[in-house]
Amino acid sequence: MAESLLGDIRAGRLAVGDTLPGELELVGHFDVSRHTVREALRRLEELGLIGRRQGVGTVVLARQPTESYVQAVRSPAALLQYPAGSRLVLRSSESVRAGRALARLLGCKTGAAWHLLCCLREFADGGPPVCWTDLYLLPEYAGIAAAVGRRSGFVYELVEDRYGQRVASIDVDIMARAIPERMSEALGVAAGTPSLTVVRRYLDRDRRLFMVSVSEHPGDRFTYSMGLERGWQSGGGAVWSGA
């Protein structure tokens, strides 16, 4: 399906500025599942050929692939980059609903129900905590709370092992913010201290959001590093992969 749409774009049958049919129309036209449609659109979006516009739909942006920058990692654990010897310590657990500001941060609908685990990432031998992490889980996965910090591995692995919910993709946002007052004392810093905030959204194969972590790192305690190498793909355009 992706190849067919790519051919239409290159041949000009779908011109720059044209709006693609909706998902359901594409499902019927190609006689495929919605998952197949979404994967095809994702591939074309990664090539820079299409883009989603709020209130308009999916629009053709270019006839040829453009340069893109992709961080390639072997596993979700490579996205975390936390030092060996650190572990999550559960501080509190509660059910919450996303207000407007939280919904924007998490990437969910306003009013969505979540189970919130508030955690510190600490070293077993002491020292300042690395970060404060708020973990938002769909309510049906709240049962892993008792295992956080008591079992080795990452929280997404606990969800996979206990419920069979597999991670298909992770969206990561990195931004500069300020440490909120509610976690400043536990982190040993003043409220308003500069923070490197990392938001990771965990999605399944149907692009359903089932877990979000929001980690606040005091500015002098964490560095996120990556390297990029240039490569080339068929059809033109450079792809950068993690080194």
Side-chain angles (χ1 to χ4, degrees):
M1 176 186 163
E3 288 74 15
S4 178
L5 290 173
L6 178 59
D8 287 342
I9 292 172
R10 283 177 169 167
R13 290 186 291 272
L14 285 171
V16 173
D18 283 354
T19 301
L20 268 64
E23 279 189 8
L24 291 179
E25 189 174 344
L26 290 171
V27 165
H29 179 74
F30 289 99
D31 192 23
V32 295
S33 68
R34 293 188 72 170
H35 172 70
T36 299
V37 169
R38 289 170 181 170
E39 282 299 300
L41 295 178
R42 181 184 62 81
R43 288 177 58 191
L44 295 178
E45 191 169 9
E46 287 179 350
L47 292 173
L49 297 173
I50 63 173
R52 301 184 186 188
R53 297 291 181 264
Q54 187 172 2
V56 177
T58 302
V59 177
V60 178
L61 301 179
R63 290 184 62 182
Q64 295 294 333
T66 57
E67 287 191 348
S68 59
Y69 300 82
V70 179
Q71 184 187 14
V73 295
R74 292 186 176 89
S75 73
L79 290 170
L80 303 178
Q81 299 188 1
Y82 287 120
S86 68
R87 64 187 181 95
L88 280 180
V89 177
L90 182 64
R91 304 270 297 191
S92 64
S93 174
E94 62 177 316
S95 297
V96 299
R97 287 194 176 273
R100 293 179 65 181
L102 180 59
R104 286 195 299 270
L105 181 65
L106 301 185
C108 68
K109 293 182 178 179
T110 300
W114 295 94
H115 193 81
L116 170 62
L117 307 180
C118 297
C119 308
L120 272 179
R121 180 165 290 277
E122 300 178 335
F123 291 100
D125 57 358
V130 178
C131 65
W132 176 287
T133 296
D134 286 333
L135 287 165
Y136 295 87
L137 298 157
L138 290 183
E140 56 261 40
Y141 303 138
I144 68 164
V148 173
R150 298 182 180 180
R151 283 185 50 186
S152 60
F154 297 103
V155 175
Y156 76 87
E157 294 174 327
L158 299 178
V159 176
E160 288 186 335
D161 291 345
R162 180 162 182 172
Y163 298 102
Q165 175 62 73
R166 300 301 176 191
V167 177
S169 61
I170 304 173
D171 295 339
V172 182
D173 289 342
I174 301 175
M175 64 194 81
R177 298 206 306 175
I179 297 290
E181 185 175 358
R182 68 182 176 90
M183 60 185 71
S184 61
E185 183 177 353
L187 287 169
V189 298
T193 296
S195 170
L196 178 69
T197 304
V198 182
V199 182
R200 301 178 181 90
R201 302 177 185 90
Y202 296 77
L203 303 103
D204 64 16
R205 291 185 61 184
D206 294 322
R207 296 291 294 175
R208 182 184 70 131
L209 183 68
F210 67 88
M211 187 176 92
V212 183
S213 67
V214 182
S215 298
E216 302 285 357
H217 309 78
D220 59 349
R221 298 185 192 174
F222 183 75
T223 300
Y224 191 89
S225 302
M226 70 175 74
L228 297 172
E229 293 181 352
R230 184 189 290 271
W232 294 90
Q233 60 188 10
S234 60
V239 173
W240 294 77
S241 60

